[in-house]
Amino acid sequence: MEQRTRRGRTPRAEILDAAGELFTTNGYATTSTRAVADAVGIRQASLYHHFAAKDDILDALLAETIATPLELAASMRDLAEPPATCLYTLAWFDVRQLCAAQWNLGALYLLPEVRSERFAVFRLRRDELRGHYEAFAGQVIAEAGVAGIPGAEALPFRLVETVISIRSDEGAAPEYAERTIPDATLRMLGWTGDLDEAREAAGRLLDRLDARLPLG
Amino acid sequence: MEQRTRRGRTPRAEILDAAGELFTTNGYATTSTRAVADAVGIRQASLYHHFAAKDDILDALLAETIATPLELAASMRDLAEPPATCLYTLAWFDVRQLCAAQWNLGALYLLPEVRSERFAVFRLRRDELRGHYEAFAGQVIAEAGVAGIPGAEALPFRLVETVISIRSDEGAAPEYAERTIPDATLRMLGWTGDLDEAREAAGRLLDRLDARLPLG
């Protein structure tokens, strides 16, 4: 008899939740699949039914951190919305989901293991997300029409991911980030429009795309 | 007889260099002091002469990443320079040193170990550096006189540290960052002055303080 100690929708979700906690709290290298199984309250053999190896668990956790923003970005690509609205929407949604996630999984991006071949697909997907950010940002710069900062289109993606450091330092998701970071992504591109309007337009676009903001 | 395999100014510097490589390449938890000693070409007993434990090596490496920007920030605090010049100078210097460091040591900030009591002093020092950034940024916002983005004073420090993620993703220090990031720190605070002038003023201030920019 197993005594499952985590409440989750599925055994798979319970394993991911326990692993997310252990990897971010104790470290990835030092956490065994046995420790994950123990934390869930299942046998190691039951865990292997869902994940063949520890790196498969890490891969699934990493994939979670980019899946919904990637989907949102792809759904906005062919709309006729102003690029500032698209960038604001993506940044807002992404900051919110990085803040709302139970564990600060983005802290795992910097693991040496993630630079190995095993995680090449994850890295490609994250590059894809970064590409969406850079495309929207490039369009915002082009529309602003002023001599902007060369290379600035790379920064919105990076600024959004600073949520990870802030969470790590402050021990909690920063409340101000959800407004401050999307606002700043537009301002640093030389965009001088009204930020309240950008936010309202982003809210309407999220409704239209039926993309619910993760609960903050 | 020991066959030291690293070239460094001192045995201590050689140990730090080897540990910096192993911690960032193989991981902190999985690297033993024995492995560090082997990489330097010294006996473990010789290593213990310089560092009593592995966390002392990590602490020394972490301290390196903030020592020179902290010193620079403190030396600017009581000058009558415009805050935009101080913030630009600090961001430029700090981006440059994060890029120029042999190993991407900032990736170690997110280790679970660094949240333990052992590293409380390091965390305090890094908070102090963050405080300098926020003080200069707050003054820039106040001088800009426009309704800025609430909470934006927290972002320049965070944006500078994105060098760490960029290095990790791209495998090398990003050339554009040294100009793009300091420029963006001012723009996102609502500062509308001339960025070329800010950069020239920062260069003059660094000369005056005899703070050499780390070689890029």
Side-chain angles (χ1 to χ4, degrees), chain A residues 3-199:
Chain A
Q3 286 279 348
R4 280 158 54 187
T5 54
R6 298 244 156 192
R7 276 173 298 178
R9 283 159 300 133
T10 61
R12 189 175 189 277
E14 291 175 7
I15 294 167
L16 290 174
D17 179 51
E21 176 168 18
L22 291 168
F23 292 172
T24 55
T25 309
N26 299 347
Y28 176 68
T30 47
T31 298
S32 62
T33 51
R34 172 66 189 268
V36 175
D38 285 350
V40 179
I42 59 174
R43 284 185 302 262
Q44 211 171 350
S46 308
L47 184 146
Y48 286 134
H49 179 69
H50 298 279
F51 296 99
K54 190 170 75 164
D55 53 14
D56 295 325
I57 305 179
L58 177 58
D59 195 42
L61 286 170
L62 292 171
E64 263 184 18
T65 66
I66 53 171
T68 55
L70 249 177
E71 206 176 310
L72 176 67
S75 72
M76 289 191 298
R77 201 177 32 193
D78 301 319
L79 298 178
E81 291 290 328
T85 304
C86 294
L87 181 62
Y88 197 102
T89 303
L90 179 57
W92 186 9
F93 182 89
D94 205 0
V95 165
R96 180 81 84 98
Q97 69 96 17
L98 288 170
C99 286
Q102 176 75 10
W103 310 110
N104 192 16
L105 300 172
L108 306 171
Y109 293 162
L110 291 173
L111 287 174
E113 290 86 346
V114 175
R115 292 198 294 274
S116 71
E117 189 54 31
R118 170 64 185 84
F119 296 95
V121 170
F122 164 71
R123 291 200 308 276
L124 271 177
R125 298 262 296 162
R126 184 155 161 270
D127 283 349
E128 202 184 315
L129 178 58
R130 178 152 66 101
H132 286 299
Y133 270 97
E134 293 186 2
F136 290 134
Q139 292 163 27
V140 171
I141 293 172
E143 285 205 356
V146 295
I149 303 167
E153 66 280 1
L155 298 183
F157 173 73
R158 299 297 173 184
L159 191 66
V160 165
E161 285 197 346
T162 65
V163 166
I164 298 159
S165 308
I166 302 172
R167 275 189 76 165
S168 174
D169 289 341
E170 301 186 1
E175 269 189 46
Y176 65 89
E178 203 194 307
R179 168 108 214 192
T180 305
I181 291 179
D183 280 10
T185 62
L186 289 182
R187 280 291 179 258
M188 72 184 170
L189 300 178
W191 190 84
T192 53
D194 186 293
L195 290 167
D196 289 328
E197 284 173 21
R199 195 171 183 85

Side-chain angles (χ1 to χ4, degrees), chain B:
Chain B
M1 280 292 288
E2 297 181 341
Q3 286 279 347
R4 280 160 53 191
T5 56
R6 299 244 155 192
R7 275 173 298 178
R9 282 159 301 133
T10 61
R12 189 174 188 279
E14 293 175 5
I15 293 166
L16 290 175
D17 179 51
E21 177 169 16
L22 291 168
F23 293 172
T24 55
T25 309
N26 299 345
Y28 176 68
T30 48
T31 298
S32 61
T33 52
R34 170 67 188 266
V36 175
D38 285 350
V40 179
I42 59 174
R43 284 186 301 263
Q44 212 172 350
S46 309
L47 183 146
Y48 287 133
H49 180 71
H50 299 278
F51 297 98
K54 191 170 75 164
D55 54 13
D56 296 325
I57 305 180
L58 177 58
D59 194 41
L61 287 170
L62 292 172
E64 264 185 16
T65 66
I66 53 171
T68 55
L70 249 177
E71 206 176 309
L72 176 66
S75 72
M76 289 192 298
R77 202 179 30 193
D78 301 319
L79 297 179
E81 292 289 328
T85 303
C86 294
L87 181 62
Y88 197 102
T89 303
L90 179 57
W92 185 10
F93 182 89
D94 204 359
V95 166
R96 180 80 84 98
Q97 69 96 16
L98 288 171
C99 286
Q102 178 75 10
W103 310 109
N104 193 17
L105 300 172
L108 306 171
Y109 293 161
L110 291 173
L111 286 173
E113 290 86 347
V114 175
R115 293 199 293 274
S116 71
E117 189 52 33
R118 170 65 186 84
F119 296 96
V121 171
F122 164 71
R123 291 200 308 275
L124 271 176
R125 298 264 295 163
R126 184 155 161 270
D127 282 348
E128 203 184 313
L129 178 59
R130 179 151 66 100
H132 286 299
Y133 270 97
E134 293 186 1
F136 290 135
Q139 291 164 27
V140 171
I141 292 171
E143 286 207 354
V146 295
I149 303 168
E153 67 279 1
L155 298 182
F157 173 74
R158 299 296 173 182
L159 192 65
V160 165
E161 285 197 347
T162 66
V163 166
I164 298 159
S165 308
I166 302 174
R167 275 189 75 165
S168 174
D169 289 341
E170 302 187 358
E175 270 188 45
Y176 65 89
E178 203 194 306
R179 168 108 213 190
T180 305
I181 290 179
D183 281 9
T185 60
L186 289 182
R187 281 292 180 258
M188 71 184 171
L189 300 178
W191 190 85
T192 54
D194 185 295
L195 290 168
D196 289 328
E197 284 173 22
R199 194 171 184 83
E200 282 159 27
R204 285 192 301 271
L205 182 54
L206 285 168
D207 279 348
R208 218 178 92 203
L209 295 172
D210 204 21
R212 280 166 307 160
L213 276 174
L215 292 177

